[in-house]
Structures are given as C-alpha cells and as structure tokens.
Amino acid sequence: MAGRIRVGIGGWVFEPWRGTFYPEGLRQKDELAYVGTHLTATEINATYYSTQKPATFAGWAKAVPDGFQFAVKASRFCTNRRVLAEGGESIAKFVNQGIAELGDRLGPILWQFMPTKRFDPDDFDAFLKLLPGSVGGLPLRHVLEVRHESFDDPAFLAMARDAGAAVVLADHDEYPALHGHDVGFSYARLMRTREEEPTGYDAQAITGWADMARDRAKAGDAYIFFISGAKVRNPAAAQATIAALA
C-alpha cells in the first residue's frame, strides 16, 4: 500500500532561521506552528538531551495541523553506552515520559548511535529486543541511525528487518549510506546542504530526492529530513522538495 511522504527539518528553534525562514517579528512561541503550516514533519531534538513533560508533548501536538508528524529522537542515555543491552531502564524512561501525548502526530522514534559505535551482533540484537512495540495504545515505529562502517553488513540489515526497524539512509561525507530492507516505512537524513545554494541542494539533487521519496512511498510512509550541513538552508531545501513532489 502506498504511503505518505513527509519532509522536514531538525527541530524548530534556530536563531539564523529568523528572517530567512521565519518572517521578521514572528514570536518564538509561534515558530513551531509556522513549521507546521510550511513543512510536513520535524525531528524533536530536545528529547535526545533531556526528559520532557507530558504537557510539553501535548502542546507540541496542538501547535501543528492534522497530518503533520514529529520524529522523536531517543535519549542519548539509551544509545551512547558501551553495552546497549543494559539500556532497558533508560529506554523505558524515554518511552514513558509522555510521547503518547503526541497522538497521531507521533512519527518514528529515531535511535541515533555515535560514529564510534561499532556493530556487535549479540549486543545489538539484545538492544533491539528492548524496543517496545507500543506505548499508551499507540504503535511505535523504530528507525536506527548507525554511523560506523562496520554496520555495512548484511547481518545488521537482516537483524533490523527482523525487528521491524528501518535503517536511516544518510547523505553524508563520512557516514555509510545504508539501504535497509522494506519494513513498511523509510527514513532519510540528508546532511550535505550548502550555504551558497539557496535551496541547500541544487535543483537536480532536489528532484532526485523527490523521486527517491516517491519510489520509497510505494512501500509505505517515507520520511525525509534535511539535517545539519548548512543548517540555515535546510527549511528551504525541505520546501523545495515539497514543491517538487507537488
């Protein structure tokens, strides 16, 4: 069944976006609502660094329109550890902090690993078994962002598939560009925007990302986020991609 394509950025609080993406004079408390009306998704970065209150998630959900979704970046205390299999308590704390308040605005959970984290099959398999399938009656979809070349391994890709987890396709100078198996949705993080390019990527590249999204959407929901790189250009890159899809 064909899925929905959502295109967004990382977060919504970034001072250089004021006057470039956000109109001059827009109140900071209205920035998320502005993202909601001009893009179709964003990643929540705050959850990577600290626990949030249920009311905070509820407020974020109210600020955006129907159809918009948040990808939620999992806590670093879950993923930045030597033994992933020992992260059960941190995973439970993260999942139960109130993310269910996002309701139908809840997109995938992004589990991001350090570039130095290598693939240890037994430990990673144990970690995947700790990821819950739902919270508060909401099904959870998990996506893995691994950044070490040791993960470019059929064993890892099969392990992720068997756990129902998507694998991030990264467009980055140093991270491997991994194409995970079909698990019913897909997730790309595009990190090579350039400041001298008004839309971050040139028109040919934007068209290419839009074509990729259409192709991936044949198998389910497709998420594309423009992250880091020339961060000031990421909203323009996302808007250009949405326009190319239209």
Side-chain angles (χ1 to χ4, degrees), residues 119 135 144 162 228 246:
F119 179 43
V135 62
L144 310 170
D162 293 348
S228 61

Side-chain angles (χ1 to χ4, degrees), residues 222-240:
Y223 296 85
I224 294 183
F225 293 97
F226 291 90
I227 308 291
S228 61
K231 190 170 177 179
V232 70
R233 298 294 186 216
N234 290 343
Q239 287 180 292

Side-chain angles (χ1 to χ4, degrees), residues 44-60 71-78 88-102 106 108-111 132 134-136 138 140:
I44 298 176
N45 293 319
T47 46
Y48 179 76
Y49 298 103
S50 59
T51 301
Q52 308 296 311
K53 294 182 171 65
T56 301
F57 291 102
W60 290 339
V72 185
K73 190 181 283 190
S75 166
R76 55 188 169 160
F77 297 109
C78 303
E89 194 174 318
S90 294
I91 290 171
K93 181 180 179 185
F94 163 74
V95 168
N96 292 301
Q97 68 185 297
I99 62 175
E101 294 294 327
L102 292 173
L106 175 62
I109 308 296
L110 175 66
W111 304 88
S134 64
V135 62
L138 281 179
L140 295 179

Side-chain angles (χ1 to χ4, degrees), residues 84-85 119-130 159 162-163:
L84 295 173
F119 179 43
D120 175 331
D122 291 340
D123 191 39
F124 217 85
D125 185 52
F127 170 80
L128 291 173
K129 287 181 167 64
L130 295 173
M159 187 179 290
D162 293 348

